[in-house]
Amino acid sequence: MYKILILAALACSLSAVAYGAGRGFNQATHLDSTKVPRGCATCHNGFNFKTGGGASICIICHGDTSRLSQEYKFIPKKFLPRDSELKNVETDFRKTYHHPVFEPLAARHRASETMPESDPKAPRHATCADCHNVHYSSPASKFAGIKGKRTDVISSITNEWELCYRCHGDAANLPGRSTNKRALFASTNPSYHPVEAEGRNSAVVSLLKPYKEKKFTPGDVSRITCGDCHGSDNASSPSGPHGSNNQFILVENYSIRDDQPEAPQLYALCYRCHSRTSILSDESFKYHSLHINGRTTGSSFQGTSCYTCHDSHGSTENKYLIRFNKEVVSANANGMLKFVEKGLASFRGECYLSCHGVDHNPKKY
Ligand code: HEC
Ligand code: HEC
Ligand code: HEC
Ligand code: HEC
Ligand code: HEC
Ligand code: HEC
Ligand code: HEC
């Protein structure tokens, strides 16, 4: 009954003009009849309004190319969107590491929900409609129609990171080892990867072109996005953190394990922007190589991951993204676990900790 009523209501306003009047979304790709020829009914036919419709409707066009012709076999081909214009995101979502749009929890989505979640017990979910509002989105305004938290008010978003903070920021239901990304990227922190603002360090000597700490010349890239690190492992896939063969939905491999010999592939993500040669020749931290490669003689320790010392996002406490991995590093004999910096661009500091049986009380560099 509910469904019939809604469909009847839709039938009355079956034109984008009627539905969109005064809403300013006439640029929307999916309400453009040259791109989505069947209009509202394309999606709103047997559509579950309660749960955002799910991914199955979207992948008719954004999935394996055979789906489009099967689903619309009665429609002459010239009225269908051209395969070549459609972005196939299904392949990435079927990979090992992905946003769970095909999992049953995706159906927890509600059009009326307010994010970030305030109930710690609420199950986490992600469906296409959580990240895309198809009534509004266009190539020019990909996040149009999605609301996020700006300081304390909930309003429309314009930046990718605001989308992510809906679920990976102040959400009360963050899972296990997850951290609050809004807190880590805050530009008031001592250090952060430059997503929301330009970075704090003026001597990131390892940076590869076109990356620069600050924008001096027009070719410099001094800001990066979540999508520069999170996305498909296949560079020709559509953009977006849909899925990847790499853990944590990363564009390149990154191992967070301790005690394994260094190889370019292990930390390929970092080496995309930071010169491996610079890091391993100790251009900044003079004991980088010692820790990353391990000792060559007199010890069985094979080397550790960047993750043992650095957070990939930001640090609310330290400069240089220093955040010790407590599964590997512990307090020293005096019960201290801390990093002390001794002046920016001087490459000097002190560490108080214990690691692989070596007490640092402190160790200076
Ligand atoms: C490309 C698929 C698609 C097309 C085309 C489409 N919609 Fe939707 N519509 C959705 C999805 C997905 C939702 C669920 C949004 C949510 O739950 O967050 C939705 C939700 C709605 C709702 C529920 C309230 C709301 O606004 O969220 C109405 C009403 C609606 N659509 C009307 C229309 C009308 C009228 C048209 C044609 C002008 C249309 N839709 C075209 C996918 C589509
Ligand atoms: C009838 C085919 C069709 C369906 C069904 C469809 N899309 Fe699209 N979509 C298109 C076309 C055509 C484009 C423009 C070319 C492209 O980017 O693939 C597009 C573009 C997009 C874009 C890029 C930004 C933009 O707005 O241009 C997003 C995001 C997107 N679609 C999401 C979705 C989601 C989510 C659903 C399901 C609710 C969906 N689409 C259902 C045809 C479709
Ligand atoms: C509607 C909620 C939602 C939004 C918005 C969202 N995510 Fe997620 N994300 C999830 C859920 C649910 C998972 C599954 C694991 C979990 O519960 O965190 C996940 C998983 C991930 C993972 C893998 C985590 C792991 O431990 O392997 C990454 C990386 C990620 N998201 C990045 C992003 C980025 C980048 C954005 C913004 C472009 C984003 N997410 C937006 C809900 C969301
Ligand atoms: C410089 C690369 C880089 C950037 C930029 C980046 N990430 Fe990550 N992210 C990583 C790496 C590496 C991991 C895996 C190690 C870890 O957990 O820190 C990760 C892990 C994650 C995870 C899973 C762990 C958790 O805490 O839940 C989520 C979610 C995530 N990132 C979200 C984001 C969001 C949201 C943004 C943008 C606001 C972002 N990332 C920007 C590299 C990056
Ligand atoms: C966790 C959030 C999230 C989910 C869930 C999600 N997307 Fe995306 N999607 C993004 C982001 C972020 C982008 C990149 C926008 C940009 O280019 O800035 C994107 C881009 C796209 C594009 C355009 C790609 C391009 O290269 O132009 C399409 C099409 C798309 N998504 C479809 C879908 C469909 C269909 C689903 C569900 C099956 C889906 N997305 C689920 C976040 C998400
Ligand atoms: C044992 C801890 C430790 C490990 C492991 C480690 N670093 Fe560092 N790293 C540091 C410290 C300490 C500094 C700060 C040096 C200073 O005082 O400026 C630093 C600085 C940096 C800088 C900023 C300066 C520059 O060189 O551009 C980058 C980038 C960096 N590390 C990348 C990496 C990467 C990539 C890895 C893994 C391949 C890694 N680090 C592994 C401790 C570590
Ligand atoms: C997409 C490019 C990109 C990737 C990938 C990347 N970085 Fe960076 N990184 C930057 C930029 C740009 C800066 C300069 C920020 C600044 O000015 O402080 C930076 C700065 C740093 C700094 C110094 C921050 C400070 O405030 O002192 C460290 C440490 C660092 N990165 C470590 C890593 C590690 C570890 C990885 C891999 C997990 C990684 N980066 C991956 C672009 C990248």
Side-chain angles (χ1 to χ4, degrees):
M1 185 58 195
Y2 175 66
K3 230 186 211 166
I4 297 170
L5 276 179
I6 289 180
L7 282 179
L10 279 184
C12 302
S13 58
L14 258 187
S15 82
V17 184
Y19 181 64
R23 298 187 191 211
F25 65 10
N26 36 11
Q27 305 296 315
T29 302
H30 298 89
L31 303 185
D32 174 343
S33 61
T34 63
K35 299 225 168 74
V36 178
R38 291 211 307 163
C40 316
T42 312
C43 301
H44 296 299
N45 186 0
F47 184 90
N48 187 338
F49 280 90
K50 207 175 142 218
T51 62
S56 55
I57 287 160
C58 313
I59 61 165
I60 293 173
C61 293
H62 296 293
D64 192 279
T65 46
S66 64
R67 288 182 201 281
L68 185 65
S69 43
Q70 274 167 26
E71 194 73 23
Y72 293 134
K73 51 176 173 275
F74 305 114
I75 301 182
K77 208 160 169 61
K78 64 173 177 176
F79 294 118
L80 292 178
R82 265 161 298 173
D83 289 355
S84 60
E85 282 176 0
L86 289 167
K87 303 270 162 54
N88 177 348
V89 299
E90 185 179 0
T91 318
D92 285 331
F93 277 114
R94 301 281 184 203
K95 291 175 178 171
T96 313
Y97 305 99
H98 57 266
H99 270 100
V101 296
F102 293 125
E103 279 76 343
L105 277 176
R108 292 284 176 157
H109 166 83
R110 296 289 177 271
S112 58
E113 71 199 351
T114 310
M115 302 291 226
E117 183 58 59
S118 54
D119 174 2
K121 291 199 218 70
R124 286 171 64 77
H125 69 266
T127 188
C128 310
D130 278 308
C131 298
H132 302 292
N133 188 328
V134 285
H135 300 140
Y136 296 86
S137 75
S138 68
S141 181
K142 291 197 169 125
F143 308 115
I146 298 279
K147 290 199 166 14
K149 192 177 174 187
R150 273 225 178 117
T151 55
D152 277 333
V153 285
I154 305 277
S155 62
S156 291
I157 66 170
T158 46
N159 299 300
E160 180 197 45
W161 70 79
E162 298 174 88
L163 168 65
C164 314
Y165 295 169
R166 278 164 61 82
C167 304
H168 299 292
D170 300 296
N173 62 348
L174 285 180
R177 60 179 283 283
S178 267
T179 51
N180 178 337
K181 300 294 174 288
R182 189 200 51 75
L184 294 179
F185 281 107
S187 58
T188 46
N189 284 340
S191 63
Y192 48 83
H193 260 127
V195 169
E196 286 197 36
E198 283 194 332
R200 295 231 145 177
N201 190 341
S202 51
V204 188
V205 289
S206 65
L207 277 179
L208 292 165
K209 281 196 169 74
Y211 296 102
K212 278 296 265 173
E213 305 91 347
K214 298 272 181 306
K215 204 168 173 68
F216 290 117
T217 57
D220 296 345
V221 175
S222 63
R223 300 271 298 275
I224 63 175
T225 65
C226 311
D228 284 329
C229 295
H230 295 287
S232 177
D233 54 300
N234 180 349
S236 53
S237 274
S239 62
H242 300 133
S244 171
N245 286 319
N246 295 321
Q247 199 182 4
F248 313 113
I249 321 180
L250 290 168
V251 295
E252 299 265 14
N253 185 60
Y254 180 61
S255 170
I256 64 170
R257 278 181 43 215
D258 179 45
D259 209 1
Q260 55 183 340
E262 196 272 348
Q265 175 62 12
L266 275 193
Y267 313 120
L269 177 74
C270 314
Y271 297 153
R272 186 179 258 215
C273 304
H274 297 282
S275 156
R276 176 171 178 253
T277 313
S278 166
I279 298 286
L280 295 181
S281 66
D282 300 334
E283 223 187 319
S284 60
F285 176 41
K286 72 173 171 185
Y287 299 120
H288 255 149
S289 171
L290 175 73
H291 292 88
I292 298 166
N293 284 318
R295 282 181 196 278
T296 41
T297 50
S299 160
S300 63
F301 170 59
Q302 303 185 79
T304 199
S305 168
C306 326
Y307 184 79
T308 302
C309 303
H310 294 290
D311 192 284
S312 312
H313 304 105
S315 170
T316 53
E317 287 167 14
N318 296 316
K319 288 197 181 289
Y320 319 120
L321 307 180
I322 298 289
R323 180 275 300 118
F324 297 114
N325 176 2
K326 303 259 174 47
E327 283 175 20
V328 181
V329 181
S330 52
N332 69 14
N334 283 354
M336 290 163 79
L337 175 52
K338 69 169 179 177
F339 169 73
V340 178
E341 64 110 10
K342 296 278 175 187
L344 208 56
S346 69
F347 306 122
R348 291 193 310 109
E350 296 173 349
C351 294
Y352 298 75
L353 55 86
S354 171
C355 195
H356 285 276
V358 183
D359 207 49
H360 295 46
N361 193 18
K363 292 253 187 229
K364 301 183 181 185
Y365 68 87

